[in-house]
Amino acid sequence: MDGQKILYEGGEGEIIEKKSRFIATIQCAESEEEAVSFINAMKKKYWDATHNCSAFVVGEKQTLQRCSDDGEPSGTAGRPMLDVLLGEKVCNIVVVVTRYFGGTLLGTGGLVRAYSKAVQEGLRNCKIIEKRQGYLLEIKTDYTGIGKIQYLLGQRGIAITNSEYTDTVTVEALVPAEEKKDLTEEITEGTNGRAKFLREDSVCYAFVDGEPMIF
């Protein structure tokens, strides 16, 4: 699961190819039922379109994959759309590309490029985040040790998620799983053992607009 990309916020994108409009609409889907429901909703919304082609990927390991050409020549729409999602390694995502025919045939190669490009344009207008495994470490120390702890955390770019100053100092830090062992050793050595680790909770996290989010 570490490094898994998920759709945090959906979006839309539109391109024009030889007067045909391709509108990509993207949304999160955590099950096949959610994906199918969204696809049906888009078909209802764009009932007058020439085609409403679709693709979705569900599961932490992209285990469930489906796509539809919706009347376009076989392999020219749904599969290229799915390939874009798989190439971006995004999970739990569904896309519908709506086409309004502009009067000029694009050919199979042109269709593949157009549907792929539409999905890419839609993804550019989405917010995709990366879930990682980590730990919330609660560290207690005295006022002499807090400066060293802040320095060590800052060196690694580790976020302090909470802090409390009383007669001692307690900070909570969000630490990537792969850095926990080395960091705890550095803090213990750097504070000459004055730092105490009160709690270490295993969590999944991601950064949204620069701010940490715990799952």
Side-chain angles (χ1 to χ4, degrees), residues 13-75:
E14 181 176 337
I15 65 167
I16 305 292
E17 291 288 338
K18 294 183 179 179
K19 298 184 180 179
S20 280
R21 292 176 65 201
F22 293 84
I23 306 164
T25 311
I26 301 174
Q27 181 173 291
C28 178
E30 296 186 354
S31 68
E32 183 172 10
E33 290 74 21
E34 284 186 18
V36 171
S37 176
F38 174 72
I39 292 167
N40 290 335
M42 289 298 100
K43 287 183 175 182
K44 186 175 180 180
K45 178 180 179 180
Y46 295 110
W47 61 270
D48 59 339
T50 316
H51 305 279
N52 283 290
C53 305
S54 59
F56 63 87
V57 180
V58 173
E60 290 185 354
K61 296 182 179 180
Q62 299 181 313
T63 49
L64 182 60
Q65 306 169 13
R66 298 283 188 275
C67 61
S68 169
D69 294 312
D70 194 41
E72 291 281 29
S74 179

Coordinates of all heavy atoms in Angstrom, one line a residue, residues 13-75:
G13 N -12.0 17.6 -17.8 CA -11.1 18.2 -18.8 C -11.7 18.0 -20.2 O -12.5 17.1 -20.4
E14 N -11.5 19.0 -21.1 CA -12.1 18.9 -22.4 C -11.0 19.2 -23.5 O -10.2 20.1 -23.3 CB -13.2 19.9 -22.5 CG -13.9 19.9 -23.9 CD -15.2 20.8 -23.9 OE1 -15.7 21.1 -22.9 OE2 -15.5 21.2 -25.1
I15 N -11.1 18.5 -24.6 CA -10.3 18.7 -25.7 C -11.1 18.8 -27.0 O -12.2 18.2 -27.0 CB -9.1 17.7 -25.9 CG1 -9.7 16.3 -26.2 CG2 -8.2 17.7 -24.7 CD1 -8.7 15.3 -26.7
I16 N -10.6 19.4 -28.0 CA -11.3 19.4 -29.3 C -10.4 18.8 -30.4 O -9.2 19.1 -30.5 CB -11.7 20.8 -29.8 CG1 -12.5 21.5 -28.7 CG2 -12.4 20.8 -31.1 CD1 -13.9 21.0 -28.5
E17 N -10.9 17.8 -31.1 CA -10.1 17.1 -32.2 C -11.0 17.1 -33.4 O -12.0 16.4 -33.5 CB -9.7 15.7 -31.8 CG -8.7 15.6 -30.7 CD -7.3 16.0 -31.1 OE1 -7.0 16.0 -32.3 OE2 -6.5 16.4 -30.3
K18 N -10.6 17.9 -34.4 CA -11.3 18.0 -35.7 C -12.8 18.2 -35.5 O -13.7 17.5 -36.0 CB -11.1 16.7 -36.5 CG -9.6 16.6 -37.0 CD -9.4 15.3 -37.9 CE -8.0 15.2 -38.3 NZ -7.8 14.0 -39.2
K19 N -13.1 19.2 -34.6 CA -14.4 19.6 -34.3 C -15.2 18.7 -33.4 O -16.3 19.0 -33.0 CB -15.2 20.0 -35.5 CG -14.6 21.1 -36.4 CD -15.5 21.5 -37.5 CE -14.8 22.6 -38.4 NZ -15.7 22.9 -39.5
S20 N -14.7 17.5 -33.1 CA -15.3 16.7 -32.1 C -14.9 17.1 -30.7 O -13.7 17.4 -30.4 CB -14.9 15.2 -32.3 OG -15.6 14.6 -33.3
R21 N -15.9 17.1 -29.8 CA -15.6 17.5 -28.4 C -15.4 16.2 -27.6 O -16.2 15.3 -27.7 CB -16.8 18.3 -27.8 CG -16.9 19.7 -28.3 CD -18.2 20.3 -27.7 NE -18.0 20.5 -26.3 CZ -19.0 20.6 -25.4 NH1 -20.3 20.6 -25.8 NH2 -18.8 20.8 -24.1
F22 N -14.4 16.2 -26.8 CA -14.2 15.0 -25.9 C -14.1 15.6 -24.4 O -13.2 16.4 -24.1 CB -12.8 14.3 -26.2 CG -12.8 13.6 -27.5 CD1 -12.6 14.3 -28.7 CD2 -13.1 12.3 -27.6 CE1 -12.5 13.7 -29.9 CE2 -13.1 11.6 -28.8 CZ -12.8 12.4 -30.0
I23 N -15.1 15.2 -23.6 CA -15.2 15.8 -22.3 C -14.9 14.6 -21.3 O -15.7 13.6 -21.2 CB -16.6 16.3 -22.0 CG1 -17.0 17.4 -23.0 CG2 -16.7 16.9 -20.6 CD1 -18.5 17.7 -23.1
A24 N -13.9 14.7 -20.5 CA -13.5 13.7 -19.5 C -14.0 14.2 -18.1 O -13.7 15.3 -17.7 CB -12.0 13.5 -19.5
T25 N -14.8 13.3 -17.5 CA -15.2 13.5 -16.1 C -14.7 12.4 -15.2 O -14.9 11.2 -15.5 CB -16.8 13.6 -16.1 OG1 -17.3 14.4 -17.1 CG2 -17.2 14.1 -14.7
I26 N -14.1 12.8 -14.2 CA -13.4 11.8 -13.3 C -13.9 11.9 -11.9 O -14.0 13.0 -11.3 CB -11.8 12.0 -13.4 CG1 -11.3 11.9 -14.8 CG2 -11.1 11.1 -12.5 CD1 -9.9 12.3 -15.0
Q27 N -14.0 10.8 -11.2 CA -14.5 10.7 -9.9 C -13.9 9.5 -9.1 O -13.5 8.5 -9.8 CB -16.0 10.6 -9.9 CG -16.7 10.6 -8.5 CD -18.2 10.7 -8.5 OE1 -18.7 11.7 -8.9 NE2 -18.9 9.6 -8.2
C28 N -13.9 9.6 -7.8 CA -13.5 8.5 -7.0 C -14.5 7.4 -7.0 O -15.7 7.7 -7.0 CB -13.2 8.9 -5.6 SG -12.7 7.6 -4.5
A29 N -14.1 6.1 -7.0 CA -15.0 5.0 -6.9 C -14.3 3.9 -6.1 O -13.3 3.4 -6.6 CB -15.4 4.5 -8.3
E30 N -14.9 3.5 -5.0 CA -14.2 2.5 -4.2 C -14.8 1.1 -4.4 O -14.4 0.2 -3.7 CB -14.4 2.9 -2.7 CG -13.6 4.2 -2.4 CD -13.6 4.6 -0.9 OE1 -14.3 3.9 -0.2 OE2 -12.9 5.5 -0.6
S31 N -15.8 1.0 -5.3 CA -16.3 -0.3 -5.6 C -16.8 -0.3 -7.0 O -17.0 0.7 -7.6 CB -17.5 -0.7 -4.7 OG -18.6 0.2 -4.9
E32 N -17.1 -1.5 -7.6 CA -17.6 -1.6 -8.9 C -19.0 -1.0 -9.0 O -19.3 -0.3 -10.0 CB -17.7 -3.1 -9.4 CG -18.2 -3.2 -10.8 CD -18.0 -4.7 -11.3 OE1 -17.8 -5.6 -10.5 OE2 -18.2 -4.9 -12.5
E33 N -19.8 -1.1 -8.0 CA -21.1 -0.5 -7.9 C -21.0 1.0 -8.0 O -21.8 1.6 -8.7 CB -21.8 -0.9 -6.7 CG -22.2 -2.4 -6.6 CD -21.1 -3.3 -6.3 OE1 -20.0 -2.8 -5.8 OE2 -21.2 -4.5 -6.6
E34 N -20.1 1.6 -7.3 CA -20.0 3.1 -7.3 C -19.5 3.5 -8.7 O -20.0 4.5 -9.3 CB -18.9 3.5 -6.3 CG -19.4 3.6 -4.9 CD -18.4 4.2 -3.9 OE1 -17.5 4.9 -4.4 OE2 -18.6 3.9 -2.7
A35 N -18.6 2.8 -9.3 CA -18.2 3.1 -10.7 C -19.3 3.0 -11.7 O -19.5 3.9 -12.5 CB -17.0 2.2 -11.1
V36 N -20.0 1.9 -11.7 CA -21.1 1.7 -12.6 C -22.2 2.8 -12.4 O -22.8 3.3 -13.4 CB -21.7 0.3 -12.5 CG1 -23.0 0.2 -13.3 CG2 -20.7 -0.7 -12.9
S37 N -22.5 3.1 -11.2 CA -23.5 4.2 -10.9 C -23.1 5.5 -11.5 O -23.9 6.2 -12.1 CB -23.7 4.3 -9.4 OG -24.6 5.4 -9.1
F38 N -21.8 5.8 -11.3 CA -21.3 7.1 -11.9 C -21.4 7.1 -13.4 O -21.7 8.1 -14.0 CB -19.8 7.3 -11.4 CG -19.2 8.5 -12.1 CD1 -19.5 9.8 -11.7 CD2 -18.2 8.4 -13.0 CE1 -18.9 10.9 -12.3 CE2 -17.6 9.4 -13.6 CZ -18.0 10.7 -13.2
I39 N -21.0 6.0 -14.0 CA -21.0 5.9 -15.5 C -22.4 6.1 -16.0 O -22.7 6.8 -16.9 CB -20.5 4.5 -15.9 CG1 -18.9 4.4 -15.7 CG2 -20.7 4.3 -17.4 CD1 -18.4 3.0 -15.8
N40 N -23.4 5.4 -15.3 CA -24.8 5.6 -15.7 C -25.3 7.0 -15.5 O -26.1 7.5 -16.4 CB -25.7 4.6 -14.9 CG -25.5 3.2 -15.3 OD1 -25.0 2.9 -16.4 ND2 -25.8 2.3 -14.4
A41 N -24.8 7.7 -14.5 CA -25.2 9.1 -14.3 C -24.6 10.0 -15.4 O -25.3 10.9 -15.8 CB -24.7 9.6 -12.9
M42 N -23.4 9.7 -15.8 CA -22.9 10.5 -16.9 C -23.6 10.3 -18.2 O -23.8 11.2 -19.0 CB -21.4 10.2 -17.0 CG -20.5 10.7 -15.9 SD -20.5 12.5 -15.8 CE -21.7 12.7 -14.4
K43 N -24.0 9.0 -18.4 CA -24.8 8.7 -19.6 C -26.1 9.5 -19.6 O -26.6 9.9 -20.7 CB -25.0 7.2 -19.8 CG -23.7 6.4 -20.2 CD -24.0 5.0 -20.3 CE -22.8 4.2 -20.8 NZ -23.1 2.8 -21.1
K44 N -26.7 9.6 -18.4 CA -28.0 10.3 -18.3 C -27.7 11.8 -18.5 O -28.5 12.5 -19.2 CB -28.6 10.0 -16.9 CG -29.9 10.6 -16.8 CD -30.5 10.2 -15.4 CE -31.9 10.8 -15.2 NZ -32.5 10.4 -13.9
K45 N -26.7 12.3 -17.9 CA -26.4 13.7 -18.1 C -26.1 14.1 -19.5 O -26.6 15.1 -20.0 CB -25.2 14.1 -17.2 CG -24.7 15.6 -17.3 CD -23.6 15.8 -16.4 CE -23.1 17.3 -16.5 NZ -22.0 17.6 -15.6
Y46 N -25.3 13.3 -20.2 CA -24.9 13.5 -21.6 C -25.7 12.6 -22.5 O -25.1 11.9 -23.4 CB -23.4 13.4 -21.7 CG -22.6 14.4 -21.0 CD1 -21.8 14.0 -19.9 CD2 -22.6 15.7 -21.4 CE1 -21.1 14.9 -19.2 CE2 -21.8 16.7 -20.7 CZ -21.1 16.3 -19.6 OH -20.3 17.2 -18.9
W47 N -27.0 12.5 -22.3 CA -27.8 11.6 -23.1 C -27.8 11.9 -24.6 O -28.0 11.0 -25.4 CB -29.3 11.7 -22.6 CG -29.8 13.1 -22.8 CD1 -29.8 14.1 -21.9 CD2 -30.5 13.6 -24.0 NE1 -30.4 15.2 -22.4 CE2 -30.9 14.9 -23.7 CE3 -30.9 13.0 -25.2 CZ2 -31.5 15.7 -24.6 CZ3 -31.5 13.8 -26.1 CH2 -31.9 15.2 -25.8
D48 N -27.5 13.1 -25.0 CA -27.5 13.5 -26.4 C -26.1 13.3 -27.1 O -25.9 13.7 -28.2 CB -28.0 14.9 -26.6 CG -27.1 15.9 -25.8 OD1 -26.4 15.5 -24.9 OD2 -27.2 17.1 -26.2
A49 N -25.1 12.8 -26.3 CA -23.8 12.7 -26.9 C -23.7 11.5 -27.8 O -24.5 10.6 -27.8 CB -22.8 12.5 -25.7
T50 N -22.7 11.5 -28.7 CA -22.5 10.4 -29.6 C -22.0 9.1 -28.9 O -22.4 8.0 -29.2 CB -21.4 10.8 -30.7 OG1 -21.7 12.1 -31.2 CG2 -21.5 9.8 -31.9
H51 N -21.1 9.3 -27.9 CA -20.6 8.2 -27.2 C -20.3 8.7 -25.7 O -19.9 9.8 -25.5 CB -19.3 7.6 -27.8 CG -19.4 7.2 -29.2 ND1 -19.9 6.0 -29.6 CD2 -19.0 7.9 -30.3 CE1 -19.9 5.9 -30.9 NE2 -19.3 7.0 -31.4
N52 N -20.4 7.7 -24.8 CA -19.9 7.9 -23.4 C -19.1 6.7 -23.0 O -19.6 5.7 -22.5 CB -21.1 8.1 -22.4 CG -21.8 9.4 -22.5 OD1 -21.3 10.4 -22.1 ND2 -23.0 9.4 -23.1
C53 N -17.8 6.8 -23.3 CA -16.9 5.7 -23.1 C -16.3 5.8 -21.7 O -16.3 6.9 -21.1 CB -15.7 5.8 -24.1 SG -16.3 5.8 -25.8
S54 N -16.0 4.7 -21.1 CA -15.6 4.6 -19.7 C -14.5 3.7 -19.4 O -14.2 2.8 -20.1 CB -16.9 4.3 -18.9 OG -17.3 3.0 -19.3
A55 N -13.9 3.9 -18.2 CA -12.9 3.0 -17.7 C -12.8 3.3 -16.2 O -13.0 4.4 -15.7 CB -11.5 3.3 -18.3
F56 N -12.5 2.2 -15.4 CA -12.3 2.4 -14.0 C -11.3 1.3 -13.4 O -11.2 0.3 -14.0 CB -13.6 2.4 -13.2 CG -14.4 1.1 -13.2 CD1 -14.2 0.1 -12.3 CD2 -15.4 0.9 -14.2 CE1 -14.9 -1.1 -12.4 CE2 -16.2 -0.2 -14.2 CZ -16.0 -1.2 -13.3
V57 N -10.7 1.7 -12.3 CA -9.8 0.9 -11.6 C -10.1 0.9 -10.1 O -10.2 2.0 -9.5 CB -8.3 1.4 -11.8 CG1 -7.3 0.4 -11.0 CG2 -7.9 1.4 -13.3
V58 N -10.4 -0.2 -9.5 CA -10.8 -0.3 -8.1 C -9.9 -1.3 -7.4 O -9.5 -2.4 -8.0 CB -12.3 -0.8 -8.0 CG1 -12.6 -1.0 -6.6 CG2 -13.2 0.3 -8.6
G59 N -9.5 -1.0 -6.2 CA -8.7 -1.9 -5.3 C -7.3 -1.3 -5.1 O -6.8 -0.6 -6.0
E60 N -6.8 -1.6 -3.9 CA -5.4 -1.1 -3.6 C -4.4 -1.5 -4.6 O -3.4 -0.8 -4.8 CB -5.1 -1.5 -2.2 CG -5.9 -0.8 -1.1 CD -5.4 -1.2 0.3 OE1 -4.5 -2.1 0.4 OE2 -6.0 -0.6 1.3
K61 N -4.5 -2.7 -5.1 CA -3.5 -3.2 -6.1 C -4.1 -3.1 -7.5 O -3.7 -3.9 -8.4 CB -3.1 -4.6 -5.7 CG -2.4 -4.7 -4.4 CD -1.9 -6.1 -4.1 CE -1.2 -6.1 -2.7 NZ -0.7 -7.5 -2.4
Q62 N -5.1 -2.3 -7.8 CA -5.7 -2.1 -9.1 C -6.2 -3.4 -9.6 O -6.2 -3.8 -10.8 CB -4.7 -1.5 -10.1 CG -4.1 -0.2 -9.7 CD -3.1 0.4 -10.7 OE1 -2.2 -0.3 -11.2 NE2 -3.3 1.6 -11.1
T63 N -6.8 -4.2 -8.7 CA -7.3 -5.6 -9.0 C -8.5 -5.6 -9.9 O -8.6 -6.5 -10.8 CB -7.6 -6.3 -7.7 OG1 -8.4 -5.5 -6.9 CG2 -6.3 -6.7 -6.9
L64 N -9.4 -4.7 -9.8 CA -10.6 -4.7 -10.7 C -10.4 -3.6 -11.7 O -10.3 -2.4 -11.4 CB -11.8 -4.4 -9.8 CG -13.2 -4.5 -10.6 CD1 -13.4 -5.8 -11.2 CD2 -14.3 -4.1 -9.6
Q65 N -10.5 -4.0 -13.0 CA -10.3 -3.1 -14.1 C -11.4 -3.4 -15.1 O -11.6 -4.5 -15.5 CB -8.9 -3.3 -14.8 CG -7.7 -3.2 -13.8 CD -6.4 -3.6 -14.5 OE1 -6.3 -3.8 -15.7 NE2 -5.4 -3.8 -13.6
R66 N -12.1 -2.3 -15.6 CA -13.1 -2.5 -16.6 C -13.0 -1.3 -17.5 O -12.6 -0.2 -17.1 CB -14.5 -2.5 -16.0 CG -14.7 -3.7 -15.0 CD -15.0 -5.0 -15.8 NE -15.4 -6.0 -14.9 CZ -14.6 -6.8 -14.2 NH1 -13.3 -6.6 -14.3 NH2 -15.0 -7.7 -13.4
C67 N -13.5 -1.5 -18.8 CA -13.5 -0.4 -19.7 C -14.6 -0.7 -20.8 O -15.0 -1.8 -21.0 CB -12.2 -0.1 -20.4 SG -11.5 -1.5 -21.3
S68 N -15.1 0.4 -21.4 CA -16.1 0.2 -22.5 C -15.9 1.2 -23.6 O -15.6 2.4 -23.3 CB -17.5 0.5 -21.9 OG -18.5 0.6 -22.9
D69 N -16.0 0.8 -24.8 CA -15.9 1.6 -26.0 C -17.2 2.3 -26.4 O -17.2 3.3 -27.1 CB -15.4 0.8 -27.2 CG -14.0 0.3 -27.1 OD1 -13.1 1.0 -26.7 OD2 -13.8 -0.9 -27.3
D70 N -18.3 1.9 -25.8 CA -19.6 2.5 -26.0 C -19.9 2.8 -27.5 O -20.3 3.9 -27.8 CB -19.8 3.7 -25.1 CG -21.2 4.2 -25.1 OD1 -22.1 3.3 -24.9 OD2 -21.5 5.4 -25.2
G71 N -19.6 1.8 -28.3 CA -20.0 2.0 -29.7 C -18.8 2.5 -30.6 O -18.9 2.5 -31.9
E72 N -17.7 3.0 -30.0 CA -16.6 3.3 -30.9 C -15.9 2.0 -31.4 O -16.2 1.0 -30.8 CB -15.6 4.1 -30.0 CG -16.0 5.5 -29.6 CD -15.9 6.5 -30.8 OE1 -16.0 6.1 -32.0 OE2 -15.7 7.7 -30.5
P73 N -15.1 2.1 -32.4 CA -14.4 0.9 -32.9 C -13.7 0.2 -31.7 O -13.1 0.9 -30.9 CB -13.5 1.4 -34.0 CG -14.2 2.6 -34.5 CD -14.8 3.2 -33.3
S74 N -13.7 -1.1 -31.7 CA -13.1 -1.9 -30.6 C -11.7 -1.5 -30.3 O -10.9 -1.5 -31.2 CB -13.2 -3.4 -30.9 OG -12.7 -4.1 -29.8
G75 N -11.4 -1.2 -29.1 CA -10.0 -0.9 -28.6 C -9.6 0.5 -28.9 O -8.4 0.8 -28.6

